[in-house]
Every structure is written in structure tokens, then in C-alpha cells.
Amino acid sequence: MSELNLVLLGPPGAGKGTQAERLVADFDLPYYSTGIILRNAIEQGSDLGQEAKRYVDAGELVPDEVICRVIEERFDSGEADDGFLLDGFPRTIGQAEMLEQALDSRGRLLTAVLLIEVDDDEIIRRLSGRRTCVKNGHVYHLEFDPPKNEGICDQDGSRLVQRDDDKPETIKKRLSVYKEQTAPLIQYYEERGLLKRFDGSRRPDEVHDTIRASLAALRLEERL
Ligand SMILES: [Zn+2]
């Protein structure tokens, strides 16, 4: 069977997490979200994990090169021989080049880069509708999942607030950072013929169906 080496791209609020969960289940792929694999490496306490931990403990960003080595460790573990789903790396051209080199030195290539697109207004609508309970962090959405009584958590009766992260001004800032970093990356992958675009404003089920269909078509092409 051919490899399915995938990168997932998209702005905050595009529903990447939901799609990642489903793809991982569909194709039985290991899911490499940067945050998760870094945390795992640190917990396992390998030399590399300890190196990463020093940055985290110092409150510094873990350097690209260290993150890439953590990913390479996963590639070499055998679990990713049939493919993987990367999320959160690469975010910049520099990281994309590192990844390309890491794969190339193992005789591997990316299969596709999946970009889930959602326009800014829709992202702001999705994220700014979130309300979080002050006591236990239960999450609601004014539109999609409202509490029974306005402003009050169904589960523990505590007050619901809008977190700073979910305020429109913060969301706009995050979106502009995303665009600045990701626009060149999108072009980079487009030039290499790897980019597949998906309309993330549709229902999660529909987005999932189109991604699946696109990956199935890719595999067919390979066999011809
Ligand atoms: Zn609550």
C-alpha cells in the first residue's frame, strides 16, 4: 500500500482538529500535532526530550530544528511507515524546507498538503461565540451549543465568560499572524503541486467527505 504523508493547514477556527481526528481514524495514521509530540518527547525523557524541556522550562520557543528532530524521531520509530498527519508544522517556509529534507533523506515525499479555508468573518463568528464557565472550563457556543440559561453553565451553575482568546480583537490578531506566515507556505506547496484546498465553511461531515474523496483519488492516480 502507498504511503499517505499529509500536512494539515488552516486558520484557527477552521475545524482542523475535527478533521484530523476523522482522518486519523479513516486511514489509521499517527497524528503529529506539534504540541502533542513535544509533550510526549518531554514525558519520555529521551535526550531530545530533555533538550526540548529546557526551552519549555525557560519559557522559550522550542527551536525549529529541535521540533524537526522530534518529528524525525517519530518517522524513525516505524509507526509512520504507512503515513502520518502533521498539524502545526510546518508553519513557515524554513520549516517546510526542513521537513522536505527530513523526508528526502529517508527516501520519502509528502503526498498532499490539505488546506482548510474559511473566511475571516466566519472564523470570527465561530470563535467569538464561545463562552467558557469560570469554574470548570466547560465550553458553550451562543449559536451552535447554547446553555439552557443565558450566561450560566448547565453543569455547575457557574458564570460563563468570553475568554480573551475568543475576543474578536484577539482573533483578528491571530488571523493576521496566520496569514503572514502561511500565505508564502501555501504558495510554496502550490508550486510543488501538493496543495489541496477544501471549503471549511461547509458542515464538518461534508468537509470530511471531500477530503476523503480527494485522498482516495490521489491513491488511484498513483496506482495507474
Ligand atoms: Zn461549568
Side-chain angles (χ1 to χ4, degrees):
M1 200 157 71
S2 54
E3 293 173 26
L4 213 43
N5 305 332
L6 305 173
V7 167
L8 194 56
L9 287 180
K16 276 193 305 167
T18 308
Q19 296 305 327
E21 250 173 52
R22 296 185 185 193
L23 287 174
V24 160
D26 286 345
F27 297 102
D28 195 22
L29 298 173
Y31 175 52
Y32 297 150
S33 140
T34 322
I36 295 173
I37 59 171
L38 268 178
R39 212 174 311 136
N40 287 346
I42 290 171
E43 276 168 15
Q44 283 159 9
S46 64
D47 287 348
L48 189 54
Q50 288 178 25
E51 193 178 335
K53 187 174 188 295
R54 282 196 288 274
Y55 293 101
V56 174
D57 287 348
E60 289 169 28
L61 278 178
V62 180
D64 289 354
E65 175 257 337
V66 175
I67 298 176
C68 195
R69 273 162 55 212
V70 172
I71 293 170
E72 292 183 77
E73 209 172 55
R74 303 317 317 151
F75 289 165
D76 293 334
S77 70
E79 69 188 15
D81 286 356
D82 294 330
F84 53 82
L85 180 62
L86 264 174
D87 181 5
F89 190 99
R91 273 209 174 107
T92 63
I93 299 267
Q95 293 179 350
E97 286 168 348
M98 259 182 216
L99 175 65
E100 197 169 80
Q101 227 167 34
L103 287 169
D104 186 57
S105 68
R106 289 165 176 77
R108 299 178 69 170
L109 291 165
L110 276 183
T111 312
V113 175
L114 316 173
L115 171 64
I116 304 179
E117 296 180 297
V118 181
D119 67 39
D120 289 6
D121 290 345
E122 172 67 12
I123 289 169
I124 291 166
R125 192 171 73 106
R126 286 182 185 180
L127 295 181
S128 65
R130 287 162 54 120
R131 294 295 179 272
T132 308
C133 103
V134 288
K135 204 167 169 191
N136 291 306
H138 299 122
V139 179
Y140 298 83
H141 195 285
L142 296 182
E143 202 174 329
F144 311 124
D145 181 25
K148 289 194 187 80
N149 298 300
E150 198 186 321
I152 296 165
C153 179
D154 292 348
Q155 296 190 56
D156 53 33
S158 74
R159 206 159 46 87
L160 299 179
V161 296
Q162 187 176 38
R163 293 182 321 148
D164 283 340
D165 259 6
D166 298 331
K167 292 191 171 143
E169 315 83 77
T170 319
I171 299 166
K172 281 179 193 161
K173 262 181 228 152
R174 284 166 68 198
L175 282 174
S176 77
V177 170
Y178 166 78
K179 279 183 193 159
E180 205 173 297
Q181 291 184 335
T182 314
L185 198 56
I186 290 170
Q187 199 191 340
Y188 178 91
Y189 284 129
E190 201 144 46
E191 283 164 4
R192 281 160 179 72
L194 288 171
L195 195 76
K196 305 272 172 211
R197 294 173 186 267
F198 300 95
D199 177 3
S201 66
R202 298 166 71 185
R203 284 190 304 108
D205 282 342
E206 293 172 341
V207 179
H208 173 232
D209 286 346
T210 48
I211 296 178
R212 265 185 71 131
S214 162
L215 293 177
L218 263 183
R219 288 195 142 168
L220 264 180
E221 269 171 38
E222 259 176 32
R223 262 180 243 138
L224 294 174

